[in-house]
Amino acid sequence: MKMTGAQIIMECLVREGVELVFGIPGGSTLPFYDAFRHYPQIRHILVKHEQGAAHAADAYARVTGKVGVCCATSGPGATNLVTGIANAWMDSVPMVAITGQVVTWLIGRDGFQEADTTGITLPITKANWLVLQADDLARTVKEAFHIARTGRPGPVLIDVPRDVFIQEAEFEYPETVDLPGFRPTLDGHPAQIRKAAQLIAESEKPLILAGHGVKISRAFEELKELAEKAHIPVITTLLGISGFPGSHPLCMGMPGMHGMYWNNLAIGQADLLIAIGMRFDDRVTGALKDFAPHARVIHIDIDPAEIGKNVKPTVPIVGDVKRVLAALNPLVKEKRHDEWLAWIRKVREEHPSIAIPDNDELLPQYVVKKIYELSGGQGYVVTGVGQHQMWAAQYFWNDKPNSFVTSGGLGPMGFEVPAAMGVQFAHPKELVWSICGDGGFQMTMQELAAIVEHELPIKFAILNNSFLGMVRQWQEMFYGNRVFATREFGPDYVKLAEAFGLMGLRVTERKQVEGAIHLALTHPGPVLIDFQVKPDECVYPMVPPGASLSETIDQPPVEAKPTPRREKVKAK
């Protein structure tokens, strides 16, 4: 059956189970958008900036496990997608980006809105294609979805000239994909798995470092079984948060630059690290030469390129985390490590790390803790990047699997608003909190219009300190307190919320916090709360850039009862 190129792409999206496409049309993609009329089963979400389309598709993919889809026109539309594509690349998120291109006979002639999109995105995609014949579209789309979701997930891009959208070709969707050079290893090597079980049995001070791979492979039960069976403390990386229940007695929180003091010391004492679906990012390890000096390392990852890249493992295991743990767990013997856990508990009591001062100041940590308590620890938390991200990671203890959505690798400011939109589209009946910084919020706040248009009941908590807070903190601590270009002029966020059509609240005192959160939780629509927090608050603990974990700067002493590290809460 003959179809236009645009119809072929739509037929392919239907067969791949795509329900949502985030994007903005333009001249080069008009034939594609014209085809949407005939495919009501695919919902198009018109965002306000292409970066928002990519972040929304990214977050939708993270919480559903499906491939997120975004699209943009040629030139500036495509380049506006780049930050979102790079973010998906760094955090291993399955995404298909469809971009329009100038007509084939203008390519390379600097036509209006032409950009070398495949060249620009080559280093930040698993694969990309410039499709010059409609005959090639069905095979290309099939391969694109297969590559995006298979093995280590990631973004791919399909660039389509305007005349190829219009060309007619016979449509036949391939049933299989033939890519001889792309066959990821899913099952770990049995001998290496047996050796890992042996190391676990021999260890007296083991630690699990659980990363994003646990969430990507949905290995929540397998990780819990391993930790409980062998009685091993679990440290979750920033992207690993919500891969293991936050209130579980064996959950130790984050390591690294803004991780818990006790974790950074424990890594220095451990005799075994079981690294699961994590890549030993520099924010986790600090100075590599001093990282885990006494530990043997079991490294489980689906990407062989990650094995040994930063930390040399004793036992490398390439494979899907869920499959590897399912094979490993039966070989692991039950064992207790009470003495080791008691040592960690003692360090934690001496260095509470996340105690909140008991005074009248409106502190960002207090706000996040109250959101956690009053929400019953339920729902999804989406953050941007910066101080507020670290406080959300420290004070909201996610028990719901895969409920913490943040950018770990690229770290783009502005992720928090469109990503919350993607999460709410994925789970329309769930509670979604977007914990924002005032700097990042202003970068993508235009997406509030789309959120109001689609009646998404997202709750936005802006931790407004009128600074680019993390940069200011570095200027104060490492640049002789020379604070420059980080003071933020912000709008009246309450009036801004009202202008977009959502409820706006302002909180300036600690005693107002609970009432505002209650009001947000009971309001059926989207709410924005402007928490005007203490401007010069810093995030602790902190490992200085380039320093080792043993040089972690502890939280300054505070007059407060130590915050219990892990406690379950019920919504009030």
Side-chain angles (χ1 to χ4, degrees), residues 548-561:
S548 66
L549 298 186
S550 62
E551 299 172 274
T552 302
I553 300 172
D554 198 5
Q555 181 187 39
V558 297
E559 293 183 5
K561 294 180 181 178

Side-chain angles (χ1 to χ4, degrees), residues 1-18 39 42 67 69 96 98 129 134-149 156 158 169-178:
M1 181 179 181
K2 278 192 175 294
M3 292 183 177
T4 66
Q7 290 171 324
I8 288 172
I9 294 174
M10 295 301 292
E11 290 286 342
C12 295
L13 297 183
V14 170
R15 281 160 175 75
E16 291 296 335
V18 174
Y39 296 88
I42 299 179
V67 177
V69 181
V96 170
I98 300 171
W129 299 262
D135 283 332
D136 296 330
L137 279 171
R139 175 186 54 79
T140 302
V141 176
K142 181 74 177 181
E143 291 179 359
F145 274 84
H146 177 75
I147 292 172
R149 67 164 70 98
V156 300
I158 306 170
E170 287 290 336
F171 173 68
E172 183 177 353
Y173 202 53
E175 293 184 1
T176 59
V177 172
D178 182 22

Side-chain angles (χ1 to χ4, degrees), residues 73-280:
T73 193
S74 62
T79 56
N80 282 346
L81 281 181
V82 168
T83 296
I85 294 172
N87 191 59
W89 167 255
M90 291 288 283
D91 287 354
S92 307
V93 179
M95 175 192 291
V96 170
I98 300 171
T99 51
Q101 184 54 272
V102 299
V103 292
T104 51
W105 58 87
L106 275 180
I107 292 175
R109 296 173 182 269
D110 294 335
F112 177 66
Q113 292 192 333
E114 182 188 3
D116 179 6
T117 305
T118 51
I120 291 169
T121 59
L122 184 63
I124 55 169
T125 52
K126 289 182 75 178
N128 65 22
W129 299 262
L130 171 61
V131 184
L132 298 175
Q133 297 288 336
D135 283 332
D136 296 330
L137 279 171
R139 175 186 54 79
T140 302
V141 176
K142 181 74 177 181
E143 291 179 359
F145 274 84
H146 177 75
I147 292 172
R149 67 164 70 98
T150 305
R152 181 176 183 169
V156 300
L157 182 139
I158 306 170
D159 198 29
V160 185
R162 182 161 57 87
D163 54 317
V164 176
F165 279 128
I166 300 169
Q167 280 180 13
E168 288 195 342
E170 287 290 336
F171 173 68
E172 183 177 353
Y173 202 53
E175 293 184 1
T176 59
V177 172
D178 182 22
L179 295 170
F182 181 68
R183 289 176 181 165
T185 300
L186 301 179
D187 294 309
H189 194 286
Q192 296 296 77
I193 292 174
R194 287 195 297 273
K195 191 171 180 181
Q198 181 185 342
L199 293 193
I200 293 171
E202 294 171 357
S203 172
E204 297 299 328
K205 299 177 180 178
L207 289 174
I208 292 174
L209 296 181
H212 197 197
V214 172
K215 291 155 68 173
I216 292 172
S217 69
R218 272 53 178 171
F220 310 113
E221 290 303 319
E222 289 79 5
L223 172 60
K224 189 176 173 188
E225 181 184 345
L226 173 62
E228 292 180 344
K229 190 174 184 181
H231 200 223
I232 302 175
V234 178
I235 297 172
T236 51
T237 68
L238 177 66
L239 285 181
I241 292 174
S242 72
F244 190 75
S247 64
H248 193 287
L250 289 172
C251 186
M252 298 293 142
M254 267 199 315
M257 180 169 277
H258 292 294
M260 302 300 98
Y261 193 91
W262 59 81
N263 283 336
N264 290 350
L265 263 61
I267 289 171
Q269 296 296 315
D271 63 6
L272 178 67
L273 294 184
I274 308 168
I276 304 175
M278 57 85 70
R279 56 189 178 86
F280 292 107

Side-chain angles (χ1 to χ4, degrees), residues 373-392:
E373 292 174 355
L374 298 176
S375 302
Q378 297 302 306
Y380 290 81
V381 173
V382 185
T383 82
V385 174
Q387 285 184 315
H388 72 280
Q389 178 189 32
M390 295 300 113
W391 286 316

Side-chain angles (χ1 to χ4, degrees), residues 512-555:
Q512 299 170 324
V513 170
E514 289 199 19
I517 295 172
H518 269 305
L519 191 54
L521 289 172
T522 53
H523 182 69
V527 178
L528 183 157
I529 310 177
D530 174 19
F531 291 101
Q532 297 188 350
V533 298
K534 184 171 179 272
D536 57 352
E537 188 67 4
C538 291
V539 182
Y540 291 103
M542 181 172 190
V543 179
S548 66
L549 298 186
S550 62
E551 299 172 274
T552 302
I553 300 172
D554 198 5
Q555 181 187 39

